[in-house]
Amino acid sequence: MRIDVVGKGIEVTPAIKTYAESKGAKLQKFGRVQQITFTLHKIKADHHDTFDAELVLDVERHDDFVSHCKSDDLYAAIDLVVEKGERQLRDWKDQVKQKH
């Protein structure tokens, strides 16, 4: 499984990349995940910066799962977007089990 971490308007440091890869590796337990792509955006505001994290899960025999999350902390945004992606995969897996 391949995990990509892309920064838009932000430099992806080794610490950020390692953190995102470790969180993304937990999604392997669902199987059929071929590629995980994190896209991290820095949104500038008047008084403080906000971070937007996007997670794209390329799953075998299914359309890509996409989730977004915004937070004032980049690491919190990564955590939240992984939770959303995990919930999408869990719901999909439950639907597949019910059909069989």
Side-chain angles (χ1 to χ4, degrees):
M1 180 178 68
R2 191 170 121 189
I3 300 175
D4 295 330
V5 182
V6 180
K8 303 265 181 154
I10 185 172
E11 180 184 347
V12 178
T13 63
I16 294 170
K17 185 173 182 170
T18 303
Y19 187 77
E21 287 175 346
S22 68
K23 291 294 183 174
K26 292 195 298 186
L27 299 174
Q28 284 181 326
K29 66 183 177 184
F30 292 99
R32 294 190 179 178
V33 178
Q34 297 175 345
Q35 182 177 353
I36 297 174
T37 305
F38 288 94
T39 306
L40 308 173
H41 301 270
K42 185 175 185 178
I43 303 167
K44 296 189 181 211
D46 291 336
H47 301 288
H48 67 285
D49 295 334
T50 304
F51 297 96
D52 179 35
E54 177 187 66
L55 177 67
V56 178
L57 300 168
D58 181 14
V59 179
E60 191 177 316
R61 297 187 192 147
H62 194 278
D63 294 336
D64 292 352
F65 290 101
V66 180
S67 53
H68 295 270
C69 188
K70 291 183 183 178
S71 179
D72 293 337
D73 181 30
L74 179 61
Y75 293 96
I78 293 170
D79 288 341
L80 293 170
V81 80
V82 168
E83 287 177 17
K84 285 184 177 183
E86 186 175 353
R87 186 173 55 242
Q88 288 176 337
L89 286 173
R90 191 178 317 111
D91 292 346
W92 172 65
K93 196 133 188 173
D94 289 344
Q95 287 178 355
V96 170
K97 283 182 182 179
Q98 288 178 358
K99 288 181 181 179
H100 293 275

